[in-house]
Amino acid sequence: MLLRNQHPENRSIWVGVFGEPNVGKSSLINYLIGQDLSAVTPKAQTTRNYFNCVFTIDRVEVVLIDTPGLHFSNQEFNRRMNQQAADAGRRTDLNLLLLDISRDVVDQLKTFCKKFIQENEFSEFKGKPLWVAFNKSDLLEENGDGKGGRKLVALTDLLKKFLPPEMVVTRVFMLSAVSGDGVHELTAALYDTAPSGPHHYRDGDISDKNQRFFVGEYIREQAFCLLHEEIPYEMGVVIDDFKDKDKDKDKDKDRNRDEPVVASIDATIVVNRPSQRAIVVGKSGAMIREIGVRSRKRIEDLLGGKIFLNLHVKVCPKWFRNNHILEQMGLPRAQKSVRVWRKREEVREGGENVRR
Ligand SMILES: Nc1nc2c(ncn2[C@@H]2O[C@H](COP(=O)(O)OP(=O)(O)OP(=O)(O)O)[C@@H](O)[C@H]2O)c(=O)[nH]1
Ligand SMILES: [Mg+2]
């Protein structure tokens, strides 16, 4: 019997999902794969690393690459995030540019063009099909701003006007990653377009990243939702220890709980300044406790069982220029990296621990 990923009728397509921060890239991917896998928040720059998410329809495997939002900044940390998006472009068969129609579309196109032409970050896009999806159509209708079809024609004209001639958009979609309106057209188009080829993932795999990666994402996601002003942009999460309890079931079984504990996790929320640490910890530890409660729920849903989550908060001044910490966060040097702190920074300890 042939294995499913070797079947001669198999098809596979790799699709990079690009766009400015907050346009709904991760939301769309979650909708397509049918699971809240990727972290989604109302704050920009939620996604910081590129990673693959997979779903299959019959014999067609669709690999969607979630990417950090395209933006401009001279910070080392931001350069590395942009590099992640550029790197993702190398692996794709087709690229999907996502534009948020509730914001200025021309502005978003200009960002994309600047990245492509002036900064030459997306040379890999050349020669590959480019599709464009206008997201958040639910907001368009609420505003009474003309119905989808009419608006789509006007928006498509903007693409011709603002995108460089070598970027020929071959398909255009109007959709909502929240309500799901119009997403089926994208799914059908992906299904029709996928070329013949073996599957790259086993049945049941939904990502190339491991649980440890998503644990970090969910802690940051919940912290982003609870914290405001500059803190989300100046905080990061490092997983210090992830013990898979299934491996030592008898030894580590928590006898006080009905369900077995599947993992024991130690994570550190890194902030830039002591004042930020005070806010993340909160009055009598209330904020860090709330981040712990919410992220633990997300992680337990992912891992399918109870976990121990031990959260620490540490001040690490200018961590976003610290090579060691950035690499721990999965952000290696970018082509445009200029200044890298090679020396490991002293971390001021003293964070309250939350054990659940
Ligand atoms: N109304 C509406 N909101 C949406 C839609 N898609 C995404 N959002 C919201 O937009 C915000 C940003 O969504 P994300 O999926 O995190 O956006 P992103 O492009 O992945 O952002 P980064 O990871 O920061 O680059 C969240 O609050 C989503 O709920 C949509 O179709 N309609
Ligand atoms: Mg995202």
Side-chain angles (χ1 to χ4, degrees):
M1 197 181 86
L2 281 171
L3 289 174
R4 189 185 156 90
N5 68 353
Q6 294 172 334
H7 196 283
E9 285 170 22
N10 278 357
R11 294 187 286 140
S12 173
I13 187 161
W14 287 51
V15 185
V17 183
F18 300 90
E20 282 194 3
N22 217 249
V23 297
K25 300 177 293 297
S26 303
S27 304
L28 177 64
I29 289 174
N30 284 349
Y31 192 92
L32 286 164
I33 65 170
Q35 191 171 328
D36 284 337
L37 182 70
S38 190
V40 169
T41 80
K43 309 254 181 357
Q45 293 174 18
T46 301
T47 306
R48 292 177 172 177
N49 311 81
Y50 79 83
F51 59 95
N52 301 347
C53 300
V54 190
F55 72 99
T56 50
I57 324 163
D58 303 333
R59 295 215 167 275
V60 176
E61 173 190 71
V62 181
V63 181
L64 300 158
I65 310 182
D66 199 355
T67 62
L70 306 171
H71 61 288
F72 299 97
S73 166
N74 286 329
Q75 284 272 14
E76 178 59 23
F77 172 54
N78 301 72
R79 285 171 197 256
R80 291 188 187 205
M81 273 200 281
N82 276 319
Q83 182 71 48
Q84 288 279 303
D87 287 349
R90 293 207 187 106
R91 296 152 187 245
T92 57
D93 298 309
L94 136 71
N95 296 311
L96 178 68
L97 175 64
L98 203 61
L99 300 168
D100 177 347
I101 47 165
S102 70
R103 285 169 22 202
D104 188 340
V105 167
V106 171
D107 247 23
Q108 294 170 67
L109 286 172
K110 284 183 178 165
T111 300
F112 185 64
C113 290
K114 195 168 169 210
K115 288 263 166 214
F116 181 72
I117 301 168
Q118 288 176 16
E119 306 205 352
N120 197 26
E121 280 185 2
F122 288 94
S123 50
E124 304 290 335
F125 273 49
K126 280 179 197 152
K128 289 182 189 173
L130 177 66
W131 293 2
V132 171
F134 296 100
N135 188 31
K136 308 199 184 181
S137 63
D138 51 312
L139 298 180
L140 180 75
E141 290 184 8
E142 269 170 31
N143 293 342
D145 200 4
K147 289 284 169 189
R150 228 177 329 134
K151 186 86 181 168
L152 189 58
V153 175
L155 289 168
T156 308
D157 287 342
L158 288 181
L159 300 179
K160 287 189 197 125
K161 195 165 163 196
F162 287 97
L163 285 176
E166 60 266 51
M167 283 214 170
V168 182
V169 177
T170 48
R171 294 289 302 254
V172 179
F173 305 88
M174 173 78 83
L175 48 85
S176 166
V178 164
S179 71
D181 281 352
V183 178
H184 62 281
E185 283 171 33
L186 173 62
T187 317
L190 290 170
Y191 181 86
D192 292 342
T193 310
S196 292
H199 289 186
H200 298 80
Y201 290 90
R202 289 170 307 176
D203 271 357
D205 282 356
I206 52 166
S207 179
D208 61 332
K209 291 285 186 191
N210 58 19
Q211 293 172 331
R212 190 183 173 114
F213 171 81
F214 288 107
V215 166
E217 290 293 283
Y218 296 163
I219 296 168
R220 210 163 44 73
E221 176 190 70
Q222 295 310 315
F224 266 42
C225 291
L226 289 164
L227 300 165
H228 304 289
E229 294 170 13
E230 89 288 353
I231 298 177
Y233 310 101
E234 297 201 350
M235 64 156 283
V237 173
V238 174
I239 305 298
D240 305 309
D241 195 25
F242 184 108
K243 276 199 198 78
D244 190 345
K245 292 267 184 173
D246 263 349
K247 284 181 189 137
D248 315 293
K249 221 172 189 169
D250 294 332
K251 200 173 96 201
D252 291 331
K253 201 167 169 184
D254 178 7
R255 296 179 197 288
N256 300 324
R257 293 182 183 232
D258 298 331
E259 285 178 62
V261 174
V262 294
S264 173
I265 298 158
D266 277 284
T268 299
I269 296 178
V270 181
V271 291
N272 184 33
R273 285 181 276 125
S275 58
Q276 295 171 336
R277 182 185 166 275
I279 295 169
V280 175
V281 171
K283 210 173 168 191
S284 314
M287 180 57 86
I288 187 75
R289 214 174 298 123
E290 188 60 20
I291 295 170
V293 168
R294 294 191 187 193
S295 43
R296 189 178 56 130
K297 167 93 185 62
R298 276 287 260 148
I299 298 163
E300 287 182 343
D301 287 347
L302 178 79
L303 303 190
K306 293 275 170 205
I307 60 156
F308 281 137
L309 179 61
N310 218 2
L311 283 183
H312 317 259
V313 188
K314 287 179 184 172
V315 179
C316 187
K318 305 265 188 298
W319 63 264
F320 32 77
R321 282 196 257 158
N322 182 310
N323 188 47
H324 177 76
I325 294 178
L326 290 174
E327 285 190 356
Q328 270 187 300
M329 291 175 181
L331 293 169
R333 275 179 67 87
Q335 268 170 16
K336 290 185 182 158
S337 285
V338 277
R339 179 176 174 184
V340 178
W341 287 13
R342 294 213 170 272
K343 206 176 119 208
R344 190 171 177 174
E345 283 217 311
E346 192 188 325
V347 174
R348 269 183 261 165
E349 301 256 1
E352 257 102 301
N353 291 359
V354 178
R355 192 175 164 86
R356 319 220 130 264

